[in-house]
Amino acid sequence: MQLPGSARFSVRGVSPTRMVKLFMSRHGLHSTAASASGAAATPAAPAAPAADLVTWVESSGGSITGVAVRRDEAGFGLQAASDVSAGSTLISLPPRCHLTYDGSTDARLLALIDQVVAHRLEGATSHFAPYINNLPLGVAGLPMFFNGDALGALQYPPVTEQVKRRCRWLLSFSQQALAPIRGSEADPFGGAEVDANALGWALAVVTSRAFRTRGPSQPAAMLPLIDMANHSFEPNAKIAPGPGGSMCMVATRQLVAGEPVLISYGPLGNDFLLLDYGFVMPTNPYDTVQLRFDRGLIEAAKAVAGVGSSDNGTDSTSDELPPLPAWQQQALASLQLAGSGANTEVSIRRQGPGQASSSSSSSSSSSSNSKPAEGGESPVDPRLLAGVRVLCAPNAAALGGKAVSVEQLGRWDAPLASMPAELAALRTLTGLCAIALSQFKGTVDDDAALLAGIPAAAAAAAQAAEGVAGTSSETEQQQLTEDQQLAVQFRMDKKRLLLEALAAISQRIKQLAASASPGGARGAGGRQQAANGGGGGRGTGAKNGGRGFG
Ligand SMILES: C[S@@+](CC[C@H](N)C(=O)[O-])C[C@H]1O[C@@H](n2cnc3c(N)ncnc32)[C@H](O)[C@@H]1O
């Protein structure tokens, strides 16, 4: 596996699973997970999956009722072992079975990573051996372990940059933090060589399984057996605190024997699901496309959508943007979109039941509930809408006396009193969607063809689409690797999200234009072309057209 960028994480072509096996054999460790996957076939009657883990939980004072572990080619999962009524406790896990750390409010996952490695090194004598031995040797689909082709196929810098950061952290932690103290009293691993690969395995296991049962700023915990539940946005079970510090899995509706028992990992977008868990949810209602709010980008979006610049002397042929009037500068600063302490991360998002926050960098495995977005069903986050309204208003009066706050200016269902300014803002948003779409190569259909294994069609479509589509390795090969398929699925969903947002904004423009007085829509300084989707979705010819993702 190769690190994106210059640093080499490990020998190219050696999978993280193999590296962990090497690490384990070097330390005389064994994995029942390896046996379960067929490495050591047993002719006798097959044991129930993870039977040793179930026995360990029960003998430690826990209980397992009406639920069983299942195993298929995708790994472990839980299923109802019998019909179960709503509200039943399926698993009760006493505190001595929680792998966590105390005496500290350190919320980082590092302490948990240390613990997982330390217990793995301790081997059979560890109290957690039945848990550690059933952990997967690799978490399939994590982009941290993608090769360069699969990482490139994501075409989405917010995720690829995060992957690079994690890989850099692993290398620097193993080389600069661990290596110098190896063998000393401060060494958490008692002199054992724990390299970036072993840490990478532990990081993958922790990010894909840890629960923040005590809140986002409190230490996380691994909950054996409970963490075999897979994710659904329509779960039939939940995690809840039980008596005596125990953690329980409780059925949230009646279960029928044999059906999978699923929990929600939280209202997470696909960036987060991919980075931490190695899978994506198609049409994920919490998904977003992240952008960096930047005046140049907004001006480019205006150009794409055919929206005239506000009357502040912008020269559309110059790369230099003239300074903004003081009222706009102050307004952007009030929205924290400019100035010191600005947070320019904004997002376009899916209109769904519970829209996600603009950030994908929240704490891992949060079990917090989703908070409905302000302003109803908005396809963009309120800060983005507010910022674009400010930059599309010809003067402060066009904001209609609204206080410059996200609450006031970021409401989708509360347009500016000045209809021309509101229409200009909405058209600018269509331009923004078009620019974001243009950052991806190829179309949704190209990606669908790739996933359907029709590389020739995809290649032809790619050439037709201005010679850009999937990477050559995607189009040339007959079969995408699993990681590449995941990457293509990921980017295809992002494109769909942007097309949906484009359609929703265009619909809103039509509604508002129709409700405005005749001539009102034209007075917005926009064109019907913008109302119909803005710029054809390619952003060509736009100043700063190359800008986009954060
Ligand atoms: C907490 S573990 C669940 C147990 C896991 N399946 C196992 O084999 O141990 C989380 C991992 O399960 C898989 N997973 C969970 N829910 C999934 C879903 N809805 N689709 C695909 N994979 C899922 C992913 O590999 C994820 O990293």
Side-chain angles (χ1 to χ4, degrees), residues 374-408:
E374 310 223 14
E377 298 276 306
S378 173
V380 297
D381 88 47
R383 296 174 72 243
L384 173 57
L385 180 57
V388 169
R389 278 173 171 163
V390 166
L391 286 178
C392 289
N395 48 51
L399 298 181
K402 284 184 193 259
V404 180
S405 67
V406 177
E407 291 71 28
Q408 289 288 311

Side-chain angles (χ1 to χ4, degrees), residues 74-76 139 208-209 227-231 265 277 279 281:
F76 287 116
V139 181
S208 65
R209 307 183 89 86
D227 70 2
M228 286 190 174
N230 287 323
H231 163 81
Y265 294 175
Y277 297 94
F279 69 92
M281 298 292 278

Side-chain angles (χ1 to χ4, degrees), residues 240-267:
S246 61
M247 289 307 299
C248 297
M249 175 178 281
V250 179
T252 52
R253 64 161 171 77
Q254 192 178 356
L255 304 177
V256 178
E259 78 170 295
V261 176
L262 302 167
I263 59 172
S264 170
Y265 294 175

